[in-house]
Amino acid sequence: MAARKPSKTRKKPASRNSAKKTTVSWRGRIWRGLFYVGLAAVLLFAGYWGWMDHKVRDRFAGAKWELAARIYARPLELYAGAPVSAQMLRLELKGLNYQPVEKVVRPGQFSWQGNRVEVYRRAHKLGAEMIPALPLALTFTSRDAQQIDSFTADDAIVALEPKEIGSIYPATGEDRVLTRLQEIPPLLGETLLAVEDRSFMDHHGISLRAISRAFMANLKAGAVVQGGSTLTQQLVKNMYLTNERSLIRKLNEALMTLSLEWHYSKSDILEAYLNEVFLGQSGNRAIHGFALASQFYFNKNVSALNTEEIALLVGLVKGASFYSPWRQPQRSKARRDTVLAVMRDSGLITDVELTHALAQPLTVVKSPASQHAYPAFVGLVKQQLLRDYPLELLQSDGLTIYTTLAPSVQTMAEESLSQTLGQLETQYKIPASQLQGAVVVTAVGSGEVRAVVGDRNPRYHGFNRALDTKRAIGSLIKPALYLTALESGNFTLATPLDDGPVEHELRNGDVWTPTNFSGIDHGLVPLYTALANSYNQAAARLGLEIGIDEVVDTVHRLGVEQAIAEVPAVVLGAVDLSPLAVSDYFHTLANEGIYSPLRAIREVYAADGARLRRYPLNAREAISSNASYLIDFAMQITARQGTARKLYTQLPESLSVAGKTGTTNDQRDSWFAGYTGSDLGVVWVGSDDNAPLPLTGATGALPVWRALFKQLPSESIHRVQPPEVTFVWVDAASGMLSGSECQGALLLPFVKGTQPHQRANCERMKRRESWWRRLWDENN
């Protein structure tokens, strides 16, 4: 049987259904892929939006900005009998940008008619307290009166608002004063919305109507003449984004805008915008927010803005530099008037109000206030602040610092230094601008620093000579030397001292031979005369006798903290100190032997107005009241008839002054430290290259001090005589007992039991100097 051939299997052609299934399967995979891609994109977009949303809420709910620490001068107190001169009041009002007018009608104005002054004090904040605006009036007895004669106001004592004198900015340079929405005048908020975002209350962050309107306006103009951004978008740009122009930035802006509108109320957003918007520039300082702009342009609180001032500030939103009222006043006024017209069209003001506002000139201050008008004093404030606060906190937490600066005294000190140095250069043929100087003025008793000048150009922000320069103080050391001798009980003001030649062998074998400035030996002289005339040889011999270590100890007790080498030359001033350190030292002498560290700060407040810290008066007795009384008397003699006698060529004889001149080797440094009953002034004059000069303490620093105190309302020294001190007539030449009518007799104070007992011959005299008689009367 033959085998069967295998049959061939034939493939059946694909059916229509199977082709359909294949197509469906392929399309399904595509759609599934698209779905997953879309889902991933949605999830990614949602995650990205969530991250952006978190970023928005994190900053907006927390501290939105780093806030500068603001530094203020002391407020000037006004009351009947206040030691405020007419010149001082003028300087204070000028510094606060008060406007002189014939009739005072609004805050920030004053009228000066003869000896009568009317002032309308501005409303201002002091810590958390809002001080209301207040009209007041006062009179002076004469044009040059040194105190207020009468005062009329709601309170017996009224203080003007403190002047802002500086800030400690964030590293960004942005500056703002935070303000709540309820503190903003309603007209300001309504005008801002009318000009910048009419539909603010209706949109959800992005306004399609505004975008369309801007698009048509720009298309018609052929240029970008109008923006479509809402206030919320502008806020997002300023707070969160850079100026980069890209698609991703626009996306971020949109997402953040929607998030902001979703989470926060319109009030929250508007308040943030009012604090964030950029409204000007002053050097490296950027002016943000309407509250700071109100101070910057008008020197007034934002709540006190009038209609035309509101219009000007709102107009600056469009371009603060382009419409600057100082650089472009015509352009700025035109923009202001445009905003005023919008205010009228929006029903915010009437036609009458519009007409009145249009007629007003730009009322901005003459120039933007410098935030570093007093760099030397602010430098001292920062130095003292950094003892208690880290720099990062000072640059971010919005602290308010009230200081002790008296702006009028500061101005007097600045002008006295710069003008006198110029006169000295002319008089002594010194090259122009070679002389430099520093001045520190302190209130006696409180230790409050009233003025600091660190350069003849007081606005210079470089080296601060008042704080940072350390120069030999020369004969300024001598009050400490003679005080040490008086405290020992072995010396009195009448004790004869030998002012003959001195030779002293030092440890290294060298011989120390100090000489007098004049080169003349004076033989035996009373102690008070040796001090008054600053005899070096008498001082050197006295220092060696009582002990250099004892003198150094006295200098430390008087307030000098730095280490001092215990070498003989110390008693002639071989000690390098800054003018501020000298002020610390002399303030103890002026303050009846009580040491009080000098203070430049009164109080510090947090951004919310809570008081963080007070800087109260701290005091300790450094020297006995008896010795303090004696050395003070001797330094008054120095001012009357000693090296400082030129003071009274311009000061009234009725003003009691105590002081000491200081001159160093080769006349490289000229010093004068002097005080009245209320004020201490320390002046240094020299050259930065330490070159010899044709000036002594009496011809260099003293004229600066005299020019200042000639203007400064200051009280005479009135010391209460300690019960252990008695006054005795002594012979000036011998120091022995004398009588009131004897030739050469002086009335000197002595600690009881130390007065002389041997009597000198008496030759009757016919007259006595009037100032000496007054000195006796004051101390009896």
Side-chain angles (χ1 to χ4, degrees):
M1 206 173 158
R4 294 181 61 183
K5 295 181 179 179
S7 61
K8 294 182 178 178
T9 304
R10 289 193 321 180
K11 287 184 178 180
K12 294 183 181 180
S15 67
R16 233 177 242 182
N17 288 337
S18 89
K20 188 174 180 181
K21 287 180 181 179
T22 301
T23 301
V24 170
S25 175
W26 178 77
R27 288 177 178 174
R29 284 196 296 272
I30 292 176
W31 282 111
R32 279 197 301 275
L34 290 174
F35 171 77
Y36 288 124
V37 169
L39 180 61
V42 169
L43 292 175
L44 184 62
F45 180 76
Y48 184 72
W49 193 349
W51 177 73
M52 299 298 288
D53 181 77
H54 171 75
K55 185 176 179 181
V56 166
R57 286 184 293 146
D58 184 59
R59 179 173 178 186
F60 205 85
K64 302 180 182 65
W65 302 281
E66 291 183 332
L67 301 176
R70 318 204 79 78
I71 304 172
Y72 291 87
R74 65 92 182 92
L76 177 66
E77 291 187 340
L78 304 174
Y79 54 90
V84 176
S85 67
Q87 180 190 7
M88 179 180 286
L89 181 57
R90 287 185 186 275
L91 290 173
E92 295 277 345
L93 293 173
K94 180 180 179 181
L96 290 168
N97 284 306
Y98 273 66
Q99 301 301 310
V101 295
E102 291 187 6
K103 183 176 177 59
V104 173
V105 295
R106 64 172 65 171
Q109 295 179 337
F110 75 95
S111 173
W112 205 297
Q113 304 292 337
N115 298 334
R116 178 177 171 81
V117 188
E118 292 184 6
V119 180
Y120 206 140
R121 184 191 66 188
R122 299 187 184 102
H124 60 281
K125 266 189 173 182
L126 200 62
E129 183 182 3
M130 192 66 193
I131 309 298
L134 179 70
L136 54 97
L138 55 92
T139 60
F140 294 96
T141 54
S142 66
R143 182 176 181 180
D144 301 322
Q146 297 291 292
Q147 72 175 38
I148 296 173
D149 181 49
S150 66
F151 184 74
T152 304
D154 290 348
D155 299 310
I157 301 178
V158 172
L160 297 180
E161 68 269 27
K163 178 181 179 179
E164 185 175 346
I165 60 172
S167 297
I168 304 175
Y169 307 126
T172 60
E174 291 187 4
D175 195 10
R176 57 175 53 78
V177 174
L178 285 190
T179 186
R180 297 296 181 189
L181 189 61
Q182 56 267 30
E183 297 171 343
I184 296 291
L187 182 60
L188 172 55
E190 292 167 349
T191 300
L192 178 66
L193 297 184
V195 173
E196 293 294 324
D197 192 353
R198 297 177 188 174
S199 58
F200 176 75
M201 300 304 297
D202 301 319
H203 62 64
H204 299 288
I206 299 173
S207 173
L208 297 178
R209 181 183 302 175
I211 294 173
S212 300
R213 184 172 62 247
F215 175 78
M216 295 304 297
N218 296 336
L219 185 64
K220 184 176 180 181
V224 178
V225 296
Q226 191 177 120
S229 296
T230 64
L231 247 60
T232 313
Q233 286 176 281
Q234 293 179 40
L235 178 61
V236 166
K237 289 177 189 176
N238 293 336
M239 285 188 66
Y240 300 98
L241 303 173
T242 67
N243 292 326
E244 174 194 4
R245 294 191 176 187
S246 66
L247 186 60
I248 188 66
R249 197 200 70 83
K250 294 297 291 184
L251 175 62
N252 290 341
E253 178 188 311
L255 297 178
M256 287 180 158
T257 298
L258 293 173
S259 292
L260 205 58
E261 288 275 351
W262 177 263
H263 291 293
Y264 299 99
S265 69
K266 292 290 185 179
S267 296
D268 292 334
I269 294 170
L270 181 58
E271 181 178 276
Y273 183 92
L274 290 165
N275 284 297
E276 170 61 28
V277 61
F278 173 73
L279 292 171
Q281 190 78 31
S282 177
N284 295 327
R285 177 189 180 218
I287 308 301
H288 286 262
F290 283 93
L292 180 59
S294 177
Q295 296 178 10
F296 184 65
Y297 290 104
F298 304 110
N299 197 28
K300 60 169 60 176
N301 190 283
V302 67
S303 62
L305 292 173
N306 60 38
T307 300
E308 58 269 23
E309 291 166 345
I310 287 173
L312 188 145
L313 292 186
V314 172
L316 291 174
V317 173
K318 188 175 180 180
S321 297
F322 189 77
Y323 294 106
S324 169
W326 291 300
R327 293 195 300 271
Q328 300 291 342
Q330 294 181 342
R331 187 185 293 167
S332 180
K333 186 175 185 301
R335 175 62 181 163
R336 183 203 71 174
D337 293 349
T338 298
V339 173
L340 287 170
V342 173
M343 295 168 74
R344 190 272 314 274
D345 294 342
S346 302
L348 300 177
I349 60 175
T350 65
D351 287 339
V352 173
E353 290 172 320
L354 173 64
T355 301
H356 174 77
L358 290 174
Q360 302 306 310
L362 297 180
T363 56
V364 294
V365 294
K366 292 183 179 179
S367 60
S370 170
Q371 284 297 291
H372 299 286
Y374 310 113
F377 183 87
V378 172
L380 175 59
V381 172
K382 290 179 180 178
Q383 186 183 90
Q384 295 189 354
L385 280 173
L386 288 171
R387 299 172 187 170
D388 303 309
Y389 301 95
L391 179 61
E392 295 76 13
L393 185 145
L394 294 175
Q395 291 179 318
S396 62
D397 280 27
L399 303 185
T400 300
I401 297 106
Y402 294 102
T403 74
T404 61
L405 177 80
S408 53
V409 179
Q410 176 75 26
T411 300
M412 293 175 185
E414 292 172 356
E415 293 177 350
S416 297
L417 179 65
S418 59
Q419 292 174 9
T420 305
L421 292 187
Q423 294 166 2
L424 292 174
E425 287 170 342
T426 301
Q427 181 180 352
Y428 291 94
K429 297 181 172 54
I430 300 170
S433 301
Q434 179 178 346
L435 291 181
Q436 267 296 353
V439 182
V440 179
V441 183
T442 307
V444 172
S446 68
E448 292 190 342
V449 180
R450 305 183 72 192
V452 179
V453 187
D455 192 282
R456 66 185 296 171
N457 173 10
R459 304 296 168 262
Y460 178 64
H461 291 265
F463 188 61
N464 186 345
R465 293 165 188 80
L467 275 61
D468 302 325
T469 192
K470 290 189 176 182
R471 305 289 284 258
I473 64 172
S475 295
L476 293 189
I477 200 74
K478 289 175 182 173
L481 164 68
Y482 289 103
L483 180 61
T484 307
L486 293 170
E487 281 190 308
S488 71
N490 299 320
F491 296 84
T492 70
L493 294 182
T495 301
L497 299 180
D498 185 1
D499 189 50
V502 176
E503 291 186 359
H504 176 73
E505 186 175 344
L506 303 176
R507 292 179 181 178
N508 63 2
D510 292 342
V511 177
W512 183 50
T513 56
T515 59
N516 289 328
F517 180 80
S518 65
I520 300 173
D521 302 334
H522 301 93
L524 290 178
V525 294
L527 183 147
Y528 81 86
T529 299
L531 173 59
N533 294 310
S534 205
Y535 294 153
N536 288 338
Q537 294 173 162
R541 183 173 278 103
L542 177 63
L544 293 171
E545 181 178 348
I546 63 177
I548 303 302
D549 58 335
E550 295 294 330
V551 178
V552 170
D553 177 69
T554 299
V555 174
H556 286 315
R557 284 189 288 126
L558 289 171
V560 176
E561 296 181 349
Q562 73 182 51
I564 299 174
E566 295 180 0
V567 296
V570 162
V571 300
L572 299 185
V575 180
D576 293 346
L577 297 179
S578 69
L580 182 68
V582 171
S583 299
D584 239 333
Y585 155 43
F586 263 84
H587 180 256
T588 307
L589 297 172
N591 195 31
E592 303 185 26
I594 305 299
Y595 172 68
S596 300
L598 301 188
R599 298 177 296 142
I601 307 169
R602 288 182 173 179
E603 296 176 310
V604 177
Y605 287 81
D608 62 0
R611 187 166 63 191
L612 295 179
R613 188 182 183 94
R614 293 186 63 192
Y615 287 78
L617 176 68
N618 293 317
R620 61 171 172 79
E621 186 178 62
I623 55 179
S624 68
S625 59
N626 294 342
S628 170
Y629 190 86
L630 299 181
I631 199 68
D632 175 84
F633 193 92
M635 286 196 292
Q636 289 190 55
I637 297 175
T638 303
R640 292 287 183 179
Q641 68 175 29
T643 57
R645 59 187 176 275
K646 289 185 179 179
L647 286 174
Y648 286 96
T649 59
Q650 295 183 23
L651 296 181
E653 285 196 3
S654 58
L655 180 66
S656 298
V657 175
K660 185 71 189 75
T661 55
T663 310
T664 60
N665 290 342
D666 299 321
Q667 299 171 237
R668 299 176 189 275
D669 301 279
S670 171
W671 290 89
F672 184 70
Y675 58 87
T676 64
S678 55
D679 300 283
L680 162 68
V682 172
V683 179
W684 169 81
V685 171
S687 176
D688 284 340
D689 61 5
N690 205 29
L693 296 167
L695 300 173
T696 64
T699 59
L702 185 145
V704 177
W705 193 99
R706 183 179 58 201
L708 168 59
F709 276 72
K710 183 173 63 174
Q711 310 170 68
L712 186 65
S714 205
E715 301 173 5
S716 283
I717 298 171
H718 295 290
R719 287 286 181 93
V720 176
Q721 183 176 333
E724 297 85 1
V725 171
T726 184
F727 275 80
V728 175
W729 288 98
V730 298
D731 178 65
S734 64
M736 293 188 292
L737 284 176
S738 185
S740 61
E741 300 304 320
C742 297
Q743 184 73 35
L746 301 175
L747 188 65
L748 293 181
F750 293 84
V751 176
K752 291 178 180 177
T754 66
Q755 64 267 34
H757 299 287
Q758 190 175 358
R759 185 170 296 277
N761 294 327
C762 177
E763 181 180 343
R764 299 285 177 177
M765 64 175 291
K766 295 181 180 179
R767 59 182 299 275
R768 190 175 302 280
E769 293 178 273
S770 60
W771 66 264
W772 197 265
R773 171 65 65 184
R774 273 198 299 274
L775 206 57
W776 303 331
D777 294 340
E778 289 173 2
N779 290 281
N780 283 280

